[in-house]
Amino acid sequence: MCTADVRDPWLPDRLLRTERDALMPLLRRTPEASFDLRTACPGWTARQVLAHCAAALVRIVEGRLEEGVFLPEANAADVAERESWPLGRILDELERGFTEAGPVIAETDDGKLDAVALGEWVHAGDVREAFGEPGAYCGAGLEFALPLLSVTSRRRETPALVGVLPDRPATVSLGNEIAGRPPARFHGAAATLIRIYAGRPLVRTRYELTGATEQELLIYR
């Protein structure tokens, strides 16, 4: 269970391990040239996104979480450090992070690292989309990503929203109620909802959003 008031500390671990099992075989069999393809992250190739993901997770595993560790400047430095690494070394580090970071996140009391696990899953979608693979921002991990999004949207103080997802069995409740303002309403695919909150391109999507703007719903700014 993972709601605004009750945190499931092992939810990030389940998301990371599920994504590991789905993503790593794809990465291992993809030709190396494909990792130079550009992603939805401005300025970053698939290889650089994965280097960032690997670095972030292993920092959590090793407890190297100094102030400012996940700010853009620190992320860029981590990616630059890995520019000379063979691709296989980056993928090995990423697989280690997917496997070992979840239990460390579960041990934290404040849950602040939960959003990192969600971000890793979103980045996996960025890579899938760059490769032209199906399942970007959905797939097996979605059942864990949506409740994590619910918690993260509240922590990041986005306005309340009720999401009606025809491809999911139930509605989702995100964000925080604001006095005098009714909850926003979203109707569309779950993957599109993820794209909105993560600030990913919405080209070729179809959805209805009333009572809030896409900018207000961003959790990664």
Side-chain angles (χ1 to χ4, degrees), residues 32-48:
E32 188 163 346
S34 295
F35 290 82
D36 293 329
L37 292 168
R38 295 288 168 175
T39 69
C41 302
W44 276 5
T45 64
R47 177 192 172 97
Q48 290 168 322

Side-chain angles (χ1 to χ4, degrees), residues 150-169:
S150 180
V151 173
T152 303
S153 68
R154 289 175 170 85
R155 285 183 174 273
R156 300 296 167 89
E157 298 183 348
T158 64
L161 178 143
V162 175
V164 179
L165 313 176
D167 53 344
R168 304 297 295 175

Side-chain angles (χ1 to χ4, degrees), residues 27 95 164:
L27 299 180
E95 187 162 7
V164 179

Side-chain angles (χ1 to χ4, degrees), residues 3 89 125:
T3 69
R89 183 179 176 186

Side-chain angles (χ1 to χ4, degrees), residues 15-97:
L15 177 60
L16 290 173
R17 287 176 179 271
T18 298
E19 192 53 50
R20 175 201 63 191
D21 293 345
L23 183 66
M24 293 311 303
L26 169 64
L27 299 180
R28 299 285 189 189
R29 67 174 181 264
T30 297
E32 188 163 346
S34 295
F35 290 82
D36 293 329
L37 292 168
R38 295 288 168 175
T39 69
C41 302
W44 276 5
T45 64
R47 177 192 172 97
Q48 290 168 322
V49 167
L50 295 169
H52 160 61
C53 290
L57 289 174
V58 170
R59 279 186 173 277
I60 291 173
V61 171
E62 297 178 350
R64 295 184 288 112
L65 300 173
E66 63 270 14
E67 186 175 353
V69 66
F70 296 131
L71 293 179
E73 296 81 4
N75 292 337
D78 282 339
V79 171
E81 179 185 348
R82 288 157 176 77
E83 283 294 334
S84 62
W85 288 18
L87 177 61
R89 183 179 176 186
I90 293 174
L91 298 185
D92 289 345
E93 184 181 51
L94 178 63
E95 187 162 7
R96 178 194 174 197

